[in-house]
Amino acid sequence: MLHDILGWYNYWLIAVLILVGIYGMMAKRNLLKKLMGMNILQVSIILFFLTLSPKEEGSMPVFDAELASTAAGYANPLPQALMLTAIVVGVATTGLALALLVRVHRTFGTLEEDDIMEDLR
Amino acid sequence: MEWLLEMRPVWVLTVTLLATVAILASGRRPNVREAWTIIASIVQLILVASMIPDVVAGEVFEVRLLTLASGFDLVLRTDPLGMVFACVSSVLWVATGIYTIGYMRSLNEKHQTVFYASFALCIFAAVGLAFSGNPLTFFVFYEILTLATYPLVIHKRTEKAIKIGRMYLAYTLTAGLFLLLAVGWSHLIVPEGGPDFAPGGFLSTSFATPLTLTVLFVLFILGVAVKAGLMPVHAWLPAAMIAPTPVSALLHAVAVVKAGVFGVLRVVGYVFGYDTVSEIGMALPLAAVAAFTIIAASVVALTADNLKRRLAYSTVGQLSYVVLGAALLTTAATTGAVMHIANHAFMKITLFFCAGAIYAHLHVEKISDMKGIGRAMPVTMGAFAVGAFGLAGIPPLPGFVSKWWLASGAWQTGDWIFIVVLITSSLLNVLYFFPIIFNAFFRKSERFTVYNEAPVAMSGPILAVAVASIVLGLAPDIGPPFWTFANQVTVALNGGAG
Amino acid sequence: MKWSGLIILVLAGGLLAYSAPDLPAYGDPESPASQHVSPRMIEKGYEETGAKNLVTAVLVDYRSFDTLFEAVVILVAGLGAALVLWPDHRRRDP
Amino acid sequence: MTTSNSLAWIIAVPFFAAAVLPMVRRLGKAWVLPTALIGSGAALIFALYAAAIVVGSGEPVRHELGGWEPPWGIELRMDHLSAVMTVLIASLSFLVLVFGRGGMEKRLEGRSHFYYSMYMLFTVGLFGMVLTHDLFNLYVFLEVSSLAGYSLIAVGERASPFAAFRYLILGTLGALLFLLGLGYLYAITGTLNFIDVAERLAPLGDSRAALVALALMLTGFGIKAALFPLHAWLPDSYAYASNLTVAFMAAVGTKVGAYGIFRVLFTIYETGNLQFHMPVVQIMGILAAIAILAGSILAMAQSDLKRMLAYSSVSQIGYVLLGFSMLNANGIMGGVLHIVNHAFMKCCLFLVVGAMMAQVGHRDIRRLSGMGRKMPWVMAAFSLAAISMIGLPPTAGFFSKWYLILGAVDAGSWIFVAVILVSSLLNAAYFFRVLERVYLKREDPAEAALETAVATTSATPVSGSSALAVQPEEALEVREEEAPRPWLGPGTLPATMLAPIGITAISLLALGLGSAWLVENVLRFIVPGGL
């Protein structure tokens, strides 16, 4: 039982982060805070992928003549490569979101969702 | 060249569809527009008539145009039952076409282009229904008919008309859904491919449990019953009287309601077959509903003062004769049902033409205002008398013929109650028609003192259909051979039933 | 909102907790991810792509298509920002 | 060009067009749209070419990118479903672009090259999504198309950036849930290629991680597809975005979400062990049924035509997913057929709204009286599309409904049968409400007065209080340019606006009558072998 919990500690931590992110996106009424929640979620999922990568006996995935080509000797490079892409995508999303927020602020003079809804009504 | 002749069912449909387009395109020039209606109706009549000898000889034209869906082709087939409906629509389109021109012009109606186009489209759908070779094709034309009649029902564009249009759509679209479900379900039940209409039906207890078949039967009947004006789903029909009278004539005599009863015959005879219907025990309930409708509608008709409304309820009652004939499942009843499709069409269109002429020419709608009107419009009222007595079943008019066969059919089953129903209904018919005629000819009023007959464009068709009704009663084979067709249908349907 | 939010959170948390034991333990060299596709990338990566850094080998060779469109994402975001923030001509007209 | 790399060209051509558009702008404004059209048209040609091969040979076309065979590299694969989706996206993208000539782009004064560039990138993302056979690559393309979509939506009415932001938050949540789900799949299978994942998933049986991965991915794509409780982003986005954007997005944007759901359910899970995860599929089916009814009912309550169509989209996507959840051949074919049909219907409807707003400057259903007289041809197209939405034969909408009903009867789920039947009545109710206005109600003076009143208030910049007080500029521009002869039907609208409307409307009939061909030659191959 204890092993069940401790052996998977990475997932528990990530699950908490995911929940924090989702909470931020749902409950916060300020658009910028929503965006922050989104970022937390992004990061937590990136962390999830990265924790799939390491192996107990493995070094970083850079070819080393001493270790030669033994799969068990290196961490799994694939999730790391994927996450490089995902990070960039996340940054791009955040950038676009900020641009939208600038525009929203210019139009409505506020970033509070409730005020904007009031304005639109 | 042979294939050109083989494809005649398609050409019939093409003509009507092209007429629709041509009418829409020539909306600016009324004379050209009306010419299209006349030309198309005559060409269509010739095409249909040219197929009669072959069908009488037992040949069946079958055209498979394209696949509609999952094994269902778009099948057009001319069997005797379909030919009855096709002949009725084609013959009466010519009469209605000419009459409509007179009517619309004398009332100076608006939106005439849409009117004529929808009219042609209705005929297209009606003939398509008549020739449909399988349930899905039937359904497609059934829905086209619904849509095509909608602009006719709301023709007056008043608040009330729009409201009634909504009601009409609600009824017919809901019915369409039942029919759709029934068609789809029966397709899934039958093991191979899309089932075609066949005498004796394609559904039987070897494919499904009686319970499933019963549910299917109810769904099918619900689907067609709305258009057939079966009570309690008839309410749209009297309401649709808001439409101009030629439309009522079309709705009541030719296209819509006939599509409904035609559908009932198709369902009972060609989807289930007499054997299966009696096996699942649905014949008696259907006959009971029909009998109830016959009596109830006649009673309501008695109370109506508006002439068109009275005719509408008369239609509701008369249609159920056909349903009753189908539900009795006997040879004589089948003959009577098929004959009544044609007979009622001719008689009812006579009556509606008369009502329309009276309204368009003298602007009288209420029966209580028609005292002495026979003096002003003797031809019209004479024709009215023919139609009215015909419906009441007075020999030798056609109504008597169909009633006779229906009663014999009821005798064959031994359900004497239905004979009582038929006789009662005849009496009621007399009760609600006779006062009109009596008042028209034998009462005097200062409103109608001089001879003032409707223009020829109206009175001509009236006279024609009245004469046709008489002929139909005396010699039902002299025009389109309705009698022969009815016998062919009877033989086909009762072949196995005994 | 409060309640539905809470329900969603509990649901999401429950799902994550429910499935966690089925996932490989941290650092497990026997995990499916370490057994199937990646071994070839590690063993042959240097040989096939000539990149000593295996992440680079994956990023710019095995899965270079991803990386190309990662760049496209940047282009999209840049163009998007330009599109959104571009001054509106109509407003500036007197 | 070989057969297989035509797949890469489908993605590459619009991408090149997108990349050169900002440069082409330097040559002059007139060059922008033709360049986009060339890119889109070429993609359409490539798509048709590849699809013809797929349908002709019955075998998927494959392309291994970089020469790395799957599962090590990324594979593009056009099977029958991808062929349908690609051709759909390519043709609608082209048609809507043609429509853009007619006055839409005037609102983008000075930034139209960015807009069209973004439009092409949106198309690139969609093409990538439907062609790739790699989970992570799918995520990347999902983000390409989503980001482009957010920016496209942000170009519209006053509140459009706000709507776009809300869409961005929800859409990114969806994409991230999908990413997490694919992470789960990667963790338990170690691979990303669809087919490889499916093979390695099969022996896992009722793995909890597989169940959660399925739930996560379906939720993710459910957000993109606007499945009922996740549809919150859609109405605002469609209502505020420009008509050009909406016509294309409504047509294919949500459909690609449905495509993703199909892939997850039937390419990845079905061949393995979908039977262990039935609850997830059932929940999706129930949500889809609720979506159908709720969407229709909400649509009925709208007075804004665009919003009404948006809610109707929510309802229609329910049909697609309901079909998938039936897990039988008829249901799945009905669902896919409805993707195609609905794309054309909605495209047609939104194009009509675009034409209408260009002509009369508003889209308030209550003020549409007499439009049938003013724009007879456009309104005829609208009616045809409406009839198709209701599902009456012989239009396209009927045939998808037919297969869906067959599927529901086949599955024995009578509630779904009832939902489909009732909803087509609801569709009739809200579309005939509009059609009655358009054709039957006369314009009365009071309404005309109201019209001018609203027009004057919306002209003042501050007001904007009503969501319906829309852009009178759009209307004015067209009228100024064409000689002022209002209400002469097609005369006042350029042919480039009428042609796409006409083509989409006619294709509704063609799709209806050709549906059997489509089913027999294409959709049959889409149904997974086990069903």
Side-chain angles (χ1 to χ4, degrees):
Chain A
M1 184 65 201
L2 195 64
H3 178 261
D4 267 8
I5 296 172
L6 291 183
W8 279 262
Y9 69 93
N10 53 328
Y11 298 123
W12 305 127
L13 291 177
I14 289 161
V16 170
L17 270 180
I18 289 176
L19 293 185
V20 169
I22 294 181
Y23 171 79
M25 292 170 86
M26 277 190 326
K28 291 294 167 193
R29 307 303 293 166
N30 184 300
L31 298 183
L32 203 56
K33 287 183 180 165
K34 271 183 191 289
L35 186 60
M36 290 174 182
M38 192 192 90
N39 275 320
I40 295 174
L41 184 62
Q42 258 167 0
V43 170
S44 59
I45 289 171
I46 288 167
L47 283 176
F48 170 81
F49 269 87
L50 292 181
T51 62
L52 299 175
S53 173
K55 294 171 194 160
E56 259 159 22
E57 305 292 321
S59 82
M60 63 181 176
V62 174
F63 185 78
D64 188 338
E66 278 176 40
L67 279 170
S69 296
T70 48
Y74 301 95
N76 183 350
L78 186 55
Q80 302 188 5
L82 297 184
M83 283 312 106
L84 277 173
T85 306
I87 290 167
V88 171
V89 169
V91 170
T93 314
T94 312
L96 181 62
L98 288 172
L100 287 173
L101 283 187
V102 169
R103 189 64 190 263
V104 169
H105 194 267
R106 233 188 250 164
T107 314
F108 294 95
T110 174
L111 287 181
E112 293 296 326
E113 196 172 20
D114 298 335
D115 296 349
I116 296 173
M117 298 299 274
E118 195 60 37
D119 187 333
L120 283 176
R121 191 155 289 120
Chain B
M1 284 312 284
E2 192 62 22
W3 65 274
L4 273 178
L5 291 177
E6 287 294 312
M7 296 273 281
R8 265 177 288 176
V10 183
W11 306 140
V12 176
L13 289 180
T14 317
V15 167
T16 42
L17 201 56
L18 284 181
T20 312
V21 178
I23 289 167
L24 278 179
S26 51
R28 298 266 160 81
R29 285 161 297 169
N31 288 333
V32 181
R33 181 184 65 197
E34 266 85 307
W36 284 123
T37 305
I38 305 287
I39 293 169
S41 62
I42 290 172
V43 172
Q44 190 215 17
L45 179 61
I46 293 169
L47 278 170
V48 172
S50 72
M51 286 190 286
I52 289 175
D54 297 308
V55 177
V56 168
E59 196 187 333
V60 170
F61 296 94
E62 185 178 287
V63 188
R64 286 176 186 267
L65 283 179
L66 50 92
T67 311
L68 276 178
S70 57
F72 271 122
D73 289 342
L74 185 64
V75 184
L76 298 178
R77 186 190 298 127
T78 57
D79 64 351
L81 182 58
M83 280 304 283
V84 171
F85 189 23
C87 289
V88 169
S89 328
S90 320
V91 173
L92 292 183
W93 190 26
V94 179
T96 320
I98 298 168
Y99 176 82
T100 309
I101 294 166
Y103 182 90
M104 298 302 269
R105 291 201 171 174
S106 72
L107 281 182
N108 239 338
E109 291 272 351
K110 287 181 177 158
H111 315 294
Q112 288 198 23
T113 308
V114 175
F115 181 85
Y116 285 112
S118 308
F119 212 107
L121 198 59
C122 275
I123 301 295
F124 165 76
V127 178
L129 275 175
F131 290 156
S132 293
N134 66 24
L136 193 59
T137 316
F138 186 89
F139 177 77
V140 169
F141 285 111
Y142 198 77
E143 294 291 61
I144 294 177
L145 184 60
T146 302
L147 279 183
T149 33
Y150 175 72
L152 298 177
V153 173
I154 50 136
H155 178 79
K156 290 200 172 145
R157 308 286 206 270
T158 55
E159 282 295 328
K160 196 175 171 221
I162 291 172
K163 224 174 119 202
I164 285 167
R166 253 178 244 163
M167 177 186 177
Y168 174 70
L169 276 183
Y171 270 90
T172 45
L173 286 182
T174 315
L177 292 178
F178 285 122
L179 190 61
L180 173 62
L181 177 56
V183 173
W185 195 356
S186 64
H187 164 61
L188 284 176
I189 286 175
V190 178
E192 272 305 311
D196 282 359
F197 287 134
F202 55 82
L203 285 175
S204 76
T205 40
S206 55
F207 297 136
T209 60
L211 178 66
T212 310
L213 285 180
T214 310
V215 176
L216 260 177
F217 186 80
V218 172
L219 284 174
F220 264 116
I221 292 295
L222 274 176
V224 289
V226 166
K227 283 211 171 95
L230 214 55
M231 279 184 176
V233 285
H234 67 289
W236 65 272
L237 214 165
M241 283 300 133
I242 184 104
T245 314
V247 174
S248 307
L250 177 86
L251 290 178
H252 289 236
V254 187
V256 178
V257 296
K258 285 291 141 51
V261 291
F262 176 75
V264 172
L265 274 172
R266 276 282 190 235
V267 169
V268 173
Y270 294 77
V271 172
F272 286 85
Y274 284 1
D275 288 341
T276 313
V277 173
S278 65
E279 225 171 307
I280 60 175
M282 288 312 287
L284 203 60
L286 182 59
V289 173
F292 170 77
T293 308
I294 292 174
I295 299 295
S298 304
V299 172
V300 179
L302 269 177
T303 65
D305 187 35
N306 184 308
L307 180 57
K308 279 176 76 179
R309 193 174 161 77
R310 189 171 286 194
L311 292 180
Y313 274 102
S314 153
T315 305
V316 173
Q318 294 287 332
L319 288 170
S320 284
Y321 281 27
V322 183
V323 178
L324 181 63
L328 288 175
L329 307 182
T330 57
T331 47
T334 312
T335 315
V338 178
M339 288 298 294
H340 201 60
I341 289 186
N343 293 345
H344 174 250
F346 279 90
M347 294 181 291
K348 196 38 81 49
I349 208 161
T350 312
L351 292 176
F352 271 110
F353 279 3
C354 296
I358 294 168
Y359 172 66
H361 196 59
L362 297 177
H363 306 285
V364 177
E365 273 187 296
K366 292 205 168 138
I367 292 166
S368 44
D369 294 341
M370 289 184 188
K371 294 191 182 81
I373 202 167
R375 197 169 299 270
M377 304 176 77
V379 179
T380 306
M381 287 319 288
F384 190 90
V386 170
F389 287 131
L391 280 185
I394 291 170
L397 293 164
F400 171 75
V401 182
S402 33
K403 260 179 220 186
W404 172 261
W405 284 103
L406 286 173
S408 323
W411 183 261
Q412 281 172 335
T413 62
D415 293 321
W416 51 267
I417 179 87
F418 294 122
I419 302 178
V420 175
V421 167
L422 289 170
I423 293 170
T424 317
S425 140
S426 289
L427 286 175
L428 288 169
N429 269 303
V430 172
L431 273 181
Y432 64 71
F433 278 132
F434 188 69
I436 304 176
I437 299 160
F438 181 82
N439 286 339
F441 284 110
F442 302 108
R443 293 281 188 84
K444 288 205 174 96
S445 85
E446 53 270 24
R447 256 185 95 178
F448 312 108
T449 46
V450 289
Y451 175 81
N452 187 10
E453 189 52 78
V456 179
M458 281 195 268
S459 58
I462 290 176
L463 206 57
V465 286
V467 171
S469 300
I470 298 172
V471 172
L472 198 59
L474 294 171
D477 251 359
I478 209 163
F482 291 121
W483 173 248
T484 315
F485 287 147
N487 278 322
Q488 281 178 326
V489 173
T490 309
V491 170
L493 288 186
N494 292 282
Chain C
M1 182 58 212
K2 290 280 174 211
W3 278 107
S4 62
L6 198 63
I7 292 168
I8 292 173
L9 281 186
V10 169
L11 210 69
L15 269 181
L16 294 175
Y18 170 76
S19 62
D22 259 15
L23 294 170
Y26 182 72
D28 180 7
E30 301 295 314
S31 71
S34 312
Q35 292 296 316
H36 182 41
V37 172
S38 64
R40 164 180 165 138
M41 288 172 175
I42 296 169
E43 284 160 11
K44 295 217 181 136
Y46 181 51
E47 186 187 317
E48 285 182 341
T49 68
K52 278 204 168 172
N53 187 335
L54 296 170
V55 176
T56 314
V58 175
L59 196 68
V60 297
D61 208 328
Y62 289 107
R63 301 185 64 87
S64 48
F65 198 56
D66 272 352
T67 313
L68 169 64
F69 280 89
E70 164 193 333
V72 173
V73 170
I74 306 252
L75 172 69
V76 172
L79 279 175
L83 183 62
V84 171
L85 297 177
W86 203 264
D88 225 335
H89 272 241
R90 289 199 310 266
R91 298 262 160 83
R92 290 197 312 192
D93 288 342
Chain D
M1 185 187 78
T2 62
T3 307
S4 81
N5 65 24
S6 66
L7 298 190
W9 281 110
I10 295 174
I11 298 175
V13 168
F15 170 57
F16 289 148
V20 299
L21 267 171
M23 299 179 233
V24 164
R25 173 69 179 82
R26 301 266 159 211
L27 295 176
K29 243 167 59 179
W31 290 78
V32 172
L33 189 61
T35 312
L37 277 173
I38 290 171
S40 181
L44 176 59
I45 291 167
F46 282 120
L48 286 173
Y49 170 74
I53 291 171
V54 172
V55 174
S57 66
E59 292 289 320
V61 172
R62 298 175 62 247
H63 181 62
E64 288 158 6
L65 287 158
W68 298 112
E69 56 188 275
W72 293 281
I74 293 168
E75 178 194 24
L76 295 183
R77 177 195 279 255
M78 185 193 262
D79 56 8
H80 285 84
L81 178 62
S82 300
V84 171
M85 295 300 295
T86 315
V87 172
L88 182 71
I89 293 165
S91 48
L92 287 179
S93 142
F94 185 75
L95 277 177
V96 174
L97 261 187
V98 172
F99 186 80
R101 260 279 284 116
M104 279 303 148
E105 62 178 9
K106 294 193 184 63
R107 299 197 46 249
L108 303 165
E109 192 72 39
R111 47 181 176 164
S112 69
H113 51 299
F114 288 144
Y115 180 85
Y116 287 122
S117 192
M118 197 55 85
Y119 184 94
M120 301 311 288
L121 287 169
F122 183 59
T123 321
V124 167
L126 297 179
F127 279 143
M129 281 180 77
V130 298
L131 285 175
T132 185
H133 236 55
D134 184 280
L135 278 168
F136 189 77
N137 197 230
L138 178 57
Y139 167 74
V140 174
F141 277 118
L142 175 67
E143 285 289 18
V144 172
S145 75
S146 301
L147 286 183
Y150 310 142
S151 346
L152 287 177
I153 283 184
V155 184
E157 287 161 24
R158 181 169 158 272
S160 62
F162 174 59
F165 182 80
R166 292 220 296 190
Y167 180 22
L168 183 141
I169 290 290
L170 258 173
T172 310
L173 176 62
L176 289 176
L177 290 180
F178 171 65
L179 183 60
L180 184 59
L182 91 85
Y184 267 67
L185 280 187
Y186 179 70
I188 59 176
T189 64
T191 178
L192 292 165
N193 184 279
F194 287 174
I195 293 166
D196 203 28
V197 171
E199 269 169 25
R200 304 192 137 250
L201 209 52
L204 291 178
D206 58 344
S207 156
R208 288 178 181 188
L211 175 77
V212 173
L214 178 63
L216 286 171
M217 292 198 281
L218 289 189
T219 317
F221 279 125
I223 291 176
K224 298 306 287 185
L227 178 59
F228 171 61
L230 312 171
H231 70 284
W233 59 271
L234 187 138
D236 274 351
S237 303
Y238 283 12
Y240 296 132
S242 85
N243 294 318
L244 199 58
T245 310
V246 179
F248 188 43
M249 289 231 353
V252 294
T254 53
K255 305 305 178 307
V256 172
Y259 166 87
I261 288 179
F262 183 100
R263 279 288 179 226
V264 171
L265 280 179
F266 300 118
T267 305
I268 295 177
Y269 276 82
E270 171 54 31
T271 43
N273 44 12
L274 195 58
Q275 72 271 21
F276 295 115
H277 309 305
M278 285 313 286
V280 178
V281 182
Q282 279 159 355
I283 289 174
M284 189 185 86
I286 292 166
L287 289 180
I290 297 173
I292 293 176
L293 295 179
S296 304
I297 291 167
L298 286 168
M300 236 179 282
Q302 307 302 320
S303 57
D304 175 349
L305 190 52
K306 266 167 101 176
R307 222 171 255 276
M308 183 193 101
L309 293 179
Y311 278 110
S312 127
S313 271
V314 172
S315 145
Q316 299 287 320
I317 207 74
Y319 280 117
V320 176
L321 300 186
L322 189 67
F324 292 168
S325 77
M326 288 167 193
L327 298 182
N328 57 36
N330 280 322
I332 293 169
M333 289 193 300
V336 177
L337 190 59
H338 201 64
I339 289 183
V340 178
N341 292 345
H342 180 246
F344 274 92
M345 294 183 237
K346 260 299 145 52
C347 188
C348 180
L349 288 170
F350 273 114
L351 288 181
V352 168
V353 175
M356 215 164 72
M357 285 173 68
Q359 184 79 295
V360 298
H362 72 81
R363 49 169 204 264
D364 187 342
I365 294 174
R366 290 163 301 188
R367 287 158 56 202
L368 289 181
S369 312
M371 289 300 287
R373 212 162 271 276
K374 293 172 191 168
M375 313 173 73
W377 291 102
V378 172
M379 282 304 148
F382 184 88
S383 316
L384 190 66
I387 288 171
S388 181
M389 291 288 289
I390 298 166
L392 294 178
T395 51
F398 166 70
F399 291 94
S400 33
K401 202 171 81 182
W402 166 256
Y403 287 103
L404 288 173
I405 287 179
L406 287 190
V409 174
D410 230 355
S413 42
W414 299 106
I415 295 178
F416 288 173
V417 174
V419 166
I420 296 171
L421 294 181
V422 168
S423 81
S424 73
L425 280 184
L426 294 175
N427 285 350
Y430 65 78
F431 273 109
F432 269 99
R433 194 170 64 107
V434 179
L435 289 180
E436 273 177 11
R437 281 270 161 208
V438 166
Y439 283 110
L440 306 183
K441 298 272 163 74
R442 279 169 215 295
E443 252 180 317
D444 57 62
E447 253 178 32
L450 179 85
E451 199 157 328
T452 41
V454 174
T456 40
T457 47
S458 64
T460 52
V462 212
S463 82
S465 53
S466 153
L468 304 176
V470 288
Q471 318 293 341
E473 301 98 308
E474 239 181 71
L476 289 176
E477 276 167 26
V478 172
R479 281 191 214 155
E480 276 164 20
E481 193 177 303
E482 313 286 339
R485 26 165 209 160
W487 324 142
L488 279 188
T492 49
L493 285 174
T496 46
M497 276 174 116
L498 288 173
I501 293 177
I503 292 172
T504 44
I506 289 169
S507 58
L508 288 179
L509 280 177
L511 273 173
L513 295 177
S515 71
W517 180 89
L518 202 60
V519 166
E520 290 305 323
N521 292 294
V522 185
L523 300 188
R524 288 237 176 267
F525 297 90
I526 288 174
V527 180
L531 300 176

